[in-house]
Amino acid sequence: MKTERILVTGGTGYIGSHTVVELQQAGYRVVIIDDLSNSSADVIDGIERITGSRPDFVEGDCTDIDTLKRLFADYPDIKGIINFAASKAVGESMQRPILYYRNNLNTLLNLLDLMGPNGVKGIVFSSSCTVYGEPDVNPVTEKSPIKKATSPYGNTKQISEEIITDVINAGAPFKSVILRYFNPVGAHPSAEIGELPNGVPQNLVPYLTQTAMGIRKELSVFGNDYHTPDGSCIRDYINVVDLAKAHVIAVERMLTDKTEAPIEIFNLGTGHGVSVLELIDTFTKATGVEVPHKIVGRRAGDIEKVWADPTYANEVLGWKAETSLADTLRSAWDWQCRLRDRGIM
Ligand code: UD1
């Protein structure tokens, strides 16, 4: 067991919980803070079943600085932060922009404010390929232009990157690694943890697995008239465990002073674009389960195609997406089956 502790905000959420597993397996002590607004404390049991150790857990809201001050007082061994605590639904952010700006930006500001006085060496920030908007050229590298955000959610990611840059350029005594995720999907191979969206899923893979399970009647494919080989949109679907592993590497770099600059930015994707129709087909081939689906009109705000050039992460982090899309979709299905077996869904 290492002596350093990592604070994982939003650690009972989808990507957060998978990252806590990888951190503990790498020997880190972990404390999670989560307000459980979009996750359940049961996730901690799943993490314990996988790793054999239970992360510390504080139920609290990171937009409240006093809560965070108490947490740092209780855990003086925190040396790194991974910040997942954020609202993340694109559509909801159009309806409730204040909620999104408050949650996502106040959380980040509070953490940055408290890092220096508490001797924290670095923060990993969850950003998104949404900062590239509709790219002029694919695959996108970290140097591809940042486009005007099309939703308050996307704007919080852009503004957060700028805030981190300004704070570090002003001489803050810590570092940051900004990770731009493409489309995280799948679940832990143990099926102990996975994605559990509230209500009707907005994202493709949870909607697909719920449809395959019969919870939803039919998957709507949003558009088949895009300028892509089969007409449906193209994304870069990255396995959530592979993604989680990149966070451990990022933390390790900051804690051991291996970063090449005070702020590093990495694309985390596979480097392969996959269309919606190809993904459905891959799911059926991998699981043997048919997914009733129909083509409907385009979804407002969707990007036609975007996939990553992950070369920089491959070379500098020594990280690479390893899991095939078929295995990833099988893990998402195993998780959906586990939810059914437990009577959750
Ligand atoms: C969106 C956000 C991204 C955010 C991510 C996770 C944008 C442009 N993208 O990604 O920033 O990080 O959600 O919350 O804001 N699809 C269907 N039917 C469905 C659902 C989706 O055909 O029922 C299609 C979509 O049109 C898209 C693909 O599946 O082509 C992936 O959609 P989704 O999983 O929602 O992710 P993004 O929109 O790519």
Side-chain angles (χ1 to χ4, degrees):
M1 178 76 80
K2 297 183 198 286
T3 53
E4 299 108 329
R5 190 180 292 276
I6 309 300
L7 168 62
V8 182
T9 74
T12 53
Y14 174 44
I15 306 173
S17 57
H18 289 81
T19 301
V20 171
V21 165
E22 297 304 317
L23 283 168
Q24 294 200 151
Q25 287 179 337
Y28 285 102
R29 297 166 203 273
V30 173
V31 56
I32 293 172
I33 180 167
D34 203 302
D35 65 0
L36 303 180
S37 60
N38 197 21
S39 60
S40 151
D42 295 346
V43 171
I44 298 163
D45 299 332
I47 295 170
E48 186 176 10
R49 283 195 292 271
I50 298 169
T51 63
S53 77
R54 200 170 177 82
D56 283 15
F57 173 63
V58 174
E59 185 176 343
D61 178 353
C62 297
T63 65
D64 178 30
I65 198 157
D66 292 328
T67 300
L68 286 177
K69 282 182 180 164
R70 277 195 299 277
L71 188 147
F72 280 111
D74 290 344
Y75 292 94
D77 53 350
I78 293 173
K79 289 286 168 276
I81 299 175
I82 308 183
N83 180 29
F84 295 106
S87 301
K88 63 167 188 177
V90 176
E92 185 190 42
S93 80
M94 311 284 244
Q95 312 300 325
R96 306 180 70 189
I98 294 176
L99 175 80
Y100 274 68
Y101 287 112
R102 181 181 290 136
N103 277 354
N104 296 6
L105 300 183
N106 286 356
T107 292
L108 178 65
L109 290 170
N110 287 343
L111 293 169
L112 294 172
D113 207 6
L114 295 175
M115 285 175 71
N118 290 286
V120 183
K121 295 183 81 169
I123 181 166
V124 179
F125 179 72
S126 308
S127 189
S128 166
C129 68
T130 196
V131 302
Y132 301 116
E134 181 78 65
D136 304 323
V137 181
N138 275 297
V140 292
T141 73
E142 292 79 0
K143 294 194 165 57
S144 297
I146 302 293
K147 298 278 178 67
K148 185 173 163 35
T150 52
S151 70
Y153 159 78
N155 208 18
T156 67
K157 295 297 176 192
Q158 291 192 5
I159 296 171
S160 294
E161 290 197 4
E162 290 172 358
I163 290 173
I164 292 168
T165 306
D166 288 346
V167 169
I168 288 186
N169 286 344
F174 52 80
K175 295 174 177 171
S176 182
V177 177
I178 293 173
L179 301 177
R180 293 180 180 155
Y181 312 151
F182 283 67
N183 285 56
V185 294
H188 195 271
S190 65
E192 293 289 358
I193 55 173
E195 189 171 9
L196 191 50
N198 268 340
V200 182
Q202 305 299 313
N203 295 115
L204 177 62
V205 170
Y207 203 105
L208 181 154
T209 55
Q210 289 192 11
T211 306
M213 186 57 77
I215 300 167
R216 313 274 158 212
K217 193 165 145 275
E218 205 167 37
L219 170 69
S220 295
V221 175
F222 296 137
N224 69 344
D225 56 352
Y226 286 100
H227 297 106
T228 60
D230 65 23
S232 63
C233 292
I234 294 180
R235 296 287 183 277
D236 185 337
Y237 296 94
I238 169 81
N239 177 278
V240 68
V241 176
D242 287 346
L243 187 72
K245 287 180 178 162
H247 294 73
V248 180
I249 298 171
V251 157
E252 194 87 40
R253 285 173 75 73
M254 294 189 296
L255 266 50
T256 56
D257 296 314
K258 300 249 166 59
T259 52
E260 292 173 357
I263 307 173
E264 293 183 317
I265 301 181
F266 298 100
N267 282 344
L268 296 182
T270 66
H272 302 291
V274 171
S275 76
V276 176
L277 292 169
E278 282 172 337
L279 186 140
I280 296 170
D281 191 48
T282 306
F283 177 87
T284 296
K285 288 198 174 112
T287 62
V289 183
E290 295 287 341
V291 185
H293 60 277
K294 64 163 183 235
I295 311 286
V296 301
R298 293 181 175 195
R299 179 172 71 176
D302 261 340
I303 302 297
E304 180 171 273
K305 48 181 180 282
V306 59
W307 66 94
D309 179 343
T311 309
Y312 188 55
N314 296 165
E315 287 177 355
V316 176
L317 295 180
W319 170 91
K320 204 170 185 326
E322 284 167 352
T323 315
S324 70
L325 183 60
D327 284 346
T328 299
L329 294 175
R330 212 174 289 118
S331 73
W333 178 238
D334 289 346
W335 165 244
Q336 189 70 58
C337 295
R338 185 67 59 89
L339 289 174
R340 174 199 56 201
D341 296 347
R342 288 201 199 136
I344 296 172
M345 194 167 261

